[in-house]
Amino acid sequence: MKTAGNERVRVDKFKQFDCVTDFSDHHYHARSKSKQKKNSSNGSVNNDKSTVKRIMKEWEILEKNLPESIFVRVYEGRIDLLRAAVIGARNTPYHNGVFFFDIKFPPDYPNSPPKVYYRSFGLRLNPNLYATGYVCLSLLNTWAGNGIERWSPKSTILQVLLSLQGLVLNEKPYFNEPGIKPTWSWESYNADVFVLSCKTMLFLLRNPAKNFEGLIAEHFRDNASVILRACVEYLEGRVRIGFFNGDGVGAAAPVCSTKKIKVSRKFRDAIHELYPQLYKAFNGVGASLTGLPEKINVRETPASGFIGKLKKFWKKLRA
C-alpha cells in the first residue's frame, strides 16, 4: 500500500521507475521521428557525451528519489525521451486522477530546459496545462519567473515533476491564473476540474498510455470506490468539491458550513452522465463496487426566492 500525496493508493506490482523499449506513442517521437537518424540509438541528443552522462544521472536520481505517487518510464532506444505519470493528491480536485507528461531532453541538456507535453485528451483542467498539451511553468522557462524559479543547469527532471504535482495540480488551481483576485469562484472552478479529471480517467481506461497499462488498471481498480463515492458526496452537497477523504467524511475544507453545499446544475448534470460510465469502466478492470449503485439520480433542488415564486406562478397558470 502506497501514498499519493496523502491518499493511500495500492500499486504493489507496478515499478515506479523502469526502462522499456516501446516509445511509439510518445508525443515527441511522433513529432520528430521523420527527422531521426535511423542509426542513432540516442535520438536527438546526437551522442553528445556530456548530455548522455547527465541524462544517465537524471535516471539515477529518479530511480532513487521518486515519491510514491509519481511513476516514470525511460526508453532504451531513445534516452532523450521520458514519460511520467503523476497521481493527483488528496484534498485537491485532482484526487485519484492519473496525469501523464511526455518529456524530451534537448541536445544541449541541461543548458536548456526539457520540453514537456501534457497528455490532455483535448481537456484543459488547469490554467497551467493547456488543451493543446502546452505546459506553462517557470521552471521550464515557459512562464515568467526569477532566480530559482527559472531553469538552470543544476535543475532536474525530479524538480519538474514535483512542481507539476505540488504547484500545478493543487487544491485551488483557479488561483494559478495570474492576476486573479480572491473570490469564491475557485469553488466553481474546482467543480469543473473534477468533472474534467473524471473524463480524463475514462480516456485513460479506454486508451491507456503504453507501458502504463498495468498502473492504470491497478490504480483505478483499487481507487474506484473512493472516486464513485466522491461523486455522490459532491453531488449531494455534503463535501466541498476536491476535499473528499475517502473515509466517508470530507476533509477540513477552507470554508466550513453546517448547511448543504450548493452545486450547480451544470455539475449535477455532468456527474449524472459520467457516473455510470465510470462505474462501467471501473467494473471492467475488476474493481470491487459492492454497495455502490450503477447510476445515481439527480435530485431537483427546490426553487426559492423570487425565481421560485415566479415558477410556481407559471405552473398555476398552466394548470
Side-chain angles (χ1 to χ4, degrees):
M1 190 71 69
K2 300 189 177 183
T3 306
N6 293 320
E7 188 73 36
R8 300 186 74 192
V9 180
R10 186 176 179 180
V11 285
D12 303 316
K13 298 178 181 178
F14 195 83
K15 293 181 180 179
Q16 280 188 263
F17 180 92
D18 203 1
C19 185
V20 295
T21 58
D22 188 353
F23 48 80
S24 59
D25 72 332
H26 194 284
H27 174 73
Y28 291 107
H29 166 65
R31 290 192 65 182
S32 62
K33 62 183 179 181
S34 62
K35 300 179 182 179
Q36 300 299 329
K37 295 180 180 179
K38 294 182 179 180
N39 61 351
S40 174
S41 61
N42 293 323
S44 61
V45 300
N46 295 325
N47 296 315
D48 182 276
K49 290 183 179 180
S50 61
T51 301
V52 171
K53 183 178 179 180
R54 175 55 188 269
I55 293 174
M56 292 298 101
K57 182 64 177 178
E58 293 279 3
W59 287 16
E60 183 181 349
I61 293 171
L62 291 168
E63 186 171 19
K64 293 180 178 179
N65 299 285
L66 279 174
E68 295 180 327
S69 52
I70 297 178
F71 300 81
V72 167
R73 292 295 178 266
V74 296
Y75 303 96
E76 182 180 336
R78 284 292 301 274
I79 69 168
D80 62 316
L81 304 181
L82 177 152
R83 173 171 290 168
V86 176
I87 296 178
R90 180 178 179 176
N91 294 344
T92 75
Y94 304 99
H95 68 79
N96 296 105
V98 185
F99 308 95
F100 282 89
F101 298 89
D102 283 359
I103 298 172
K104 186 180 190 303
F105 296 99
D108 62 343
Y109 187 82
N111 295 319
S112 296
K115 293 182 178 180
V116 180
Y117 173 83
Y118 168 57
R119 297 177 70 85
S120 70
F121 302 102
L123 306 174
R124 189 176 183 186
L125 44 62
N126 188 285
N128 297 74
L129 305 176
Y130 288 64
T132 60
Y134 183 77
V135 177
C136 191
L137 190 67
S138 296
L139 188 55
L140 298 174
N141 294 350
T142 54
W143 182 248
N146 298 306
I148 59 173
E149 295 177 349
R150 302 280 290 178
W151 179 266
S152 81
K154 294 182 179 180
S155 303
T156 67
I157 291 295
L158 180 60
Q159 287 178 291
V160 171
L161 296 178
L162 293 176
S163 296
L164 289 170
Q165 185 180 55
L167 301 180
V168 174
L169 301 172
N170 59 42
E171 65 176 8
K172 296 179 183 178
Y174 172 77
F175 294 106
N176 289 13
E177 191 71 45
I180 287 293
K181 296 180 180 180
T183 68
W184 287 117
S185 57
W186 66 265
E187 294 179 280
S188 60
Y189 192 88
N190 272 18
D192 291 342
V193 165
F194 181 74
V195 168
L196 295 176
S197 181
C198 288
K199 289 183 177 181
T200 300
M201 296 177 195
L202 289 172
F203 278 120
L204 288 173
L205 285 161
R206 293 165 182 169
N207 186 29
K210 287 186 184 297
N211 305 302
F212 286 86
E213 295 89 346
L215 173 66
I216 292 167
E218 188 166 2
H219 173 75
F220 289 119
R221 183 164 57 245
D222 292 340
N223 292 279
S225 176
V226 174
I227 296 165
L228 293 177
R229 285 161 52 209
C231 289
V232 175
E233 293 293 311
Y234 296 154
L235 191 65
E236 294 295 328
R238 290 192 286 267
V239 182
R240 291 196 183 281
I241 298 169
F243 296 92
F244 182 67
N245 275 343
D247 57 6
V249 295
V255 177
C256 299
S257 175
T258 56
K259 297 181 180 180
K260 242 184 163 182
I261 298 162
K262 293 181 180 179
V263 293
S264 68
R265 176 170 291 278
K266 176 185 175 183
F267 179 79
R268 293 166 70 86
D269 290 346
I271 295 301
H272 181 253
E273 179 182 352
L274 286 168
Y275 182 96
Q277 296 180 56
L278 288 168
Y279 186 100
K280 183 178 180 181
F282 293 154
N283 189 55
V285 293
S288 175
L289 304 176
T290 304
L292 292 166
E294 293 187 27
K295 61 180 180 178
I296 47 180
N297 296 318
V298 178
R299 298 178 184 175
E300 291 292 335
T301 302
S304 59
F306 174 76
I307 298 298
K309 292 178 181 178
L310 188 61
K311 288 182 177 179
K312 290 180 181 178
F313 174 74
W314 282 110
K315 188 174 182 180
K316 287 182 180 180
L317 286 180
R318 294 172 181 174

